[in-house]
Amino acid sequence: MNALRPRPSTGRRMADQSVRILAVGASLLGIFFLAWILLEVSRRGIGAVNWDFFFAPPAPPGFAPAGLSAPIVGTLLMTGLSVLIGVPVGVLSGVFLSEVARGTRLAAGVRFCINVLMGVPSIIMGLFVYTILVLPLGQFSGFAGAVSLAVIMLPVVARTTDDMLTLVPNALRESALALGAPRWRVTFDVVLRAAKTGMITGVVLAIARVSGETAPLLFTSLNSVYMPTSLAEPTSNLTVTIFNYAMSPYADWQQMAWGASLLITVSVLGVTIFARTAFRERTK
Amino acid sequence: MKRNNGAAPGSPGDAIYIALTRGAVALMVLLGVGIVLSLTLNAWPSIRETGARFLVSAAWNPVTHDYGALSSISGTIASTLIAMVIAVPLSLVIAFFLVELAHPLVARPVSYAVELLAAIPSIIYGMWGLFVFAPFMADHVQPALGQILGFLPLFSGPPMGIGVLTSGIILSLMVLPFITAVMRDVFSMVPGVVKEAAFGMGSTTLETAWKVTVQYGFSGLVGAVFLGLGRAVGETMAVTFVIGNAHRLSPSLFAPGNTIASTLANEFTEASEPLYLSALIELGLVLFVMTLIIQVLAQLWIDRARKKAGGGL
């Protein structure tokens, strides 16, 4: 009935206005919570960060010097090993989907499987690695921890590779093949090289994500207060240390947990932001 | 298929190349199958012992070996529901803001900030939730809620801060970026012509968004909701910190409870008895099946949206 009126009626305009205000409010709310979390982590964590924090081993409550050298090394070791396992297998799977079996029903099925795997909670991945590595060997180990992180990273890397390689124009492949290059050289020297920036971004984001994981490590690497000497035994790591320290009644341990939280937040967000901005500038 | 159309047919490098990529994919598929098999196998003693009672019994007593998943399952569902009730409308209006309202100069940093919420590790949400947000809830939010809505059993009980409601709110923050990102993509996939037609008919921005954009991208939006749901159901550390970890059923959202994931995180390393361990693995299997169903539904809906839009997303 309003079809001939030149402007929306007051009621409709007010509905429109209120949803606009709501939309701005919701966006501000998101930013507010981000700021709140980052501010609290910085404010409470900064007091714990000093020389000892990085270079002294964990100590019982009330003892000084106390630091997190062992968890830092353990987290770096396990994340590093998980990258060595997860990235090659993930990239090769992505190459299979995009280059070897492109357009086949098999690729579609595997792609579906990968998408579902990406949604499997990290705690289930930890549980799975527990049942295949910890239970049969009768030993929690840093190696099992690294495998659980790799298993979480795998589908993410495969999906990124698949997505990025699909974007590479076919003309590149065809010209390389026409020059007489075997398929493996086409993939590794031409296609992967063309998709390099996108791939690196995706892989770095996946690494950032797993380096902050806690749940899978609870069942696999467990935790330890000693500097890791071998990945065949329970291995010290930052996130489980945060969990244990935060749940303890000791003020100095809780303070240390905030320091570790700050360290994790700064590294994970730092790497995430770096990967994204570096990529964005390259593509411009 | 362009098999062997390279100029070096039968090159030994290619044989290795194809074998390697096949092996990697086989490993990936094996991973999926392995999770199902290994969890079922290890949960079997508990499945045989407790049968269907496991799913409907609220008992959880490691001493008498009486295990039931009901309190964990209901806690998972309750905290996930709260998260979705908060996160879905918020994501919808944020996506609306990013695509339809904001100038690109504003939209870019805002969507970046929302995406950063997803990059913060779960355990950081846990720390913030336990030491900052739970006390805030206990001091300010829960007393007010109790005063206004206290006649409902949902909002009765002492304001302790930790509990199902607080976990749900923190979960909503954690899934918000995932839902918003997919919804934003769905919104921006809607062809301009369709929207312009609505504007040409004299629709307001809201009417265009609600009656055209949302209808057009409906299946994608449903997919986004399922994606968020899958995240919320399995989220572990943040919930473990703030839910209070009590094996009991309570009608109040202020009361401590537990979820499947929080039970696993809390009790797994204490489980010395084989049957206890098996019951916990069965709990994990239940969670896995839940996320599996949600993920499959999410993929199907998103695929449908993608086909309709002809790629993108």
Side-chain angles (χ1 to χ4, degrees):
Chain A
M1 70 175 196
N2 287 335
L4 293 177
R5 293 176 72 169
R7 276 170 185 281
S9 67
T10 331
R12 287 168 59 208
R13 244 181 310 164
M14 274 178 47
D16 188 53
Q17 275 307 321
S18 43
V19 170
R20 279 167 189 253
I21 293 169
L22 210 68
V24 175
S27 309
L28 287 177
L29 195 70
I31 297 173
F32 167 76
F33 274 104
L34 177 71
W36 191 5
I37 295 171
L38 294 183
L39 276 178
E40 286 291 343
V41 171
S42 326
R43 194 172 66 79
R44 295 174 186 233
I46 198 76
V49 180
N50 50 32
W51 182 266
D52 282 345
F53 178 82
F54 290 103
F55 297 103
F63 281 78
L68 295 171
S69 61
I72 292 173
V73 172
T75 291
L76 287 176
L77 278 178
M78 282 194 288
T79 309
L81 184 58
S82 75
V83 171
L84 290 183
I85 305 168
V87 172
V89 179
V91 169
L92 285 174
S93 311
V95 164
F96 180 85
L97 294 180
S98 160
E99 305 297 311
V100 178
R102 166 176 290 198
T104 60
R105 198 172 279 178
L106 174 68
V110 173
R111 205 167 279 137
F112 191 85
C113 175
I114 286 176
N115 282 337
V116 172
L117 278 177
M118 274 175 72
V120 174
S122 59
I123 191 163
I124 298 295
M125 294 298 199
L127 204 58
F128 166 66
V129 173
Y130 173 87
T131 61
I132 60 161
L133 280 182
V134 178
L135 211 51
L137 300 178
Q139 168 84 316
F140 290 99
S141 66
F143 184 67
V147 170
S148 70
L149 296 182
V151 160
I152 294 167
M153 196 186 308
L154 245 168
V156 185
V157 174
R159 168 81 191 267
T160 309
T161 309
D162 183 22
D163 286 351
M164 290 301 149
L165 295 192
T166 312
L167 292 179
V168 175
N170 250 336
L172 272 180
R173 295 186 184 91
E174 283 155 10
S175 34
L177 287 169
L179 285 173
R183 292 182 66 192
W184 65 273
R185 292 207 60 171
V186 177
T187 298
F188 290 102
D189 289 353
V190 179
V191 182
L192 276 174
R193 188 169 285 189
K196 199 171 65 184
T197 35
M199 296 264 310
I200 293 175
T201 311
V203 169
V204 171
L205 288 178
I207 297 170
R209 196 192 135 196
V210 299
S211 63
E213 280 288 356
T214 316
L217 298 182
L218 286 172
F219 309 152
T220 50
S221 76
L222 215 59
N223 196 11
S224 152
V225 294
Y226 304 111
M227 186 57 85
T229 50
S230 142
L231 286 180
E233 51 194 41
T235 303
S236 191
N237 64 85
L238 273 173
T239 45
V240 179
T241 302
I242 296 178
F243 184 44
N244 294 341
Y245 278 17
M247 293 299 178
S248 81
Y250 313 110
D252 55 339
W253 272 17
Q254 290 184 358
Q255 168 78 20
M256 200 60 95
W258 278 110
S261 301
L262 178 60
L263 179 62
I264 290 265
T265 309
V266 168
S267 354
V268 171
L269 290 193
V271 171
T272 305
I273 292 171
F274 171 77
R276 296 186 149 222
T277 44
F279 176 55
R280 236 179 222 157
E281 270 159 14
R282 286 279 194 88
T283 47
K284 251 177 199 170
Chain B
M1 270 303 295
K2 29 181 188 157
R3 226 177 269 278
N4 254 337
N5 55 356
S11 136
D14 274 357
I16 299 171
Y17 161 74
I18 289 176
L20 270 180
T21 55
R22 277 204 187 132
V25 159
L27 216 59
M28 187 81 75
V29 175
L30 202 68
L31 173 66
V33 179
I35 294 175
V36 181
L37 283 184
S38 186
L39 290 186
T40 312
L41 202 69
N42 284 284
W44 194 249
S46 164
I47 296 174
R48 209 180 40 204
E49 189 76 23
T50 54
R53 195 162 48 86
F54 187 80
L55 294 176
V56 292
S57 157
W60 187 267
N61 193 336
V63 181
T64 57
H65 284 309
D66 192 5
Y67 301 107
L70 190 62
S71 81
S72 300
I73 293 176
S74 64
T76 305
I77 293 173
S79 58
T80 306
L81 265 181
I82 298 171
M84 300 315 283
V85 165
I86 299 171
V88 170
L90 276 182
S91 305
L92 198 61
V93 288
I94 293 178
F96 170 67
F97 172 78
L98 293 176
V99 178
E100 310 289 350
L101 294 184
H103 187 274
L105 277 180
V106 180
R108 201 172 295 162
V110 171
S111 79
Y112 201 79
V114 173
E115 279 166 36
L116 277 191
L117 270 177
I120 297 177
S122 175
I123 190 148
I124 305 301
Y125 279 98
M127 288 292 286
W128 173 81
L130 178 63
F131 292 105
V132 181
F133 193 60
F136 174 79
M137 287 289 289
D139 293 342
H140 303 291
V141 180
Q142 289 184 341
L145 271 178
Q147 231 158 31
I148 304 165
L149 298 165
F151 58 91
L152 293 170
L154 280 180
F155 299 105
S156 61
M160 290 184 290
I162 56 171
V164 179
L165 180 64
T166 310
S167 317
I169 295 176
I170 294 177
L171 273 181
S172 74
L173 279 180
M174 301 180 71
V175 298
L176 181 88
F178 294 98
I179 307 180
T180 306
V182 180
M183 286 188 168
R184 184 193 58 201
D185 293 348
V186 170
F187 276 4
S188 46
M189 262 173 11
V190 177
V193 197
V194 187
K195 282 189 252 175
E196 282 153 19
F199 283 126
M201 295 288 287
S203 302
T204 59
T205 313
L206 169 65
E207 286 160 349
T208 309
W210 186 249
K211 293 183 180 158
V212 177
T213 316
V214 169
Q215 306 301 327
Y216 191 93
F218 186 73
S219 47
L221 297 180
V222 174
V225 172
F226 277 119
L227 216 59
L229 201 62
R231 289 268 157 194
V233 161
E235 189 45 62
T236 310
M237 293 323 288
V239 175
T240 308
F241 270 75
V242 295
I243 202 161
N245 302 302
H247 277 282
R248 65 162 195 227
L249 289 168
S250 165
S252 170
L253 297 180
F254 291 179
N258 61 351
T259 67
I260 295 178
S262 79
T263 305
L264 285 172
N266 257 307
E267 300 184 20
F268 203 79
T269 42
E270 297 164 9
S272 41
E273 296 277 324
L275 190 60
Y276 189 8
L277 199 66
S278 177
L280 285 171
I281 294 175
E282 187 178 355
L283 216 49
L285 186 65
V286 172
L287 175 60
F288 177 71
V289 171
M290 284 166 86
T291 52
L292 200 65
I293 295 170
I294 294 169
Q295 283 301 323
V296 169
L297 289 175
Q299 290 313 320
L300 291 178
W301 280 96
I302 290 179
D303 268 355
R304 189 192 281 192
R306 191 183 289 138
K307 269 187 198 123
K308 190 169 166 184
L313 207 64

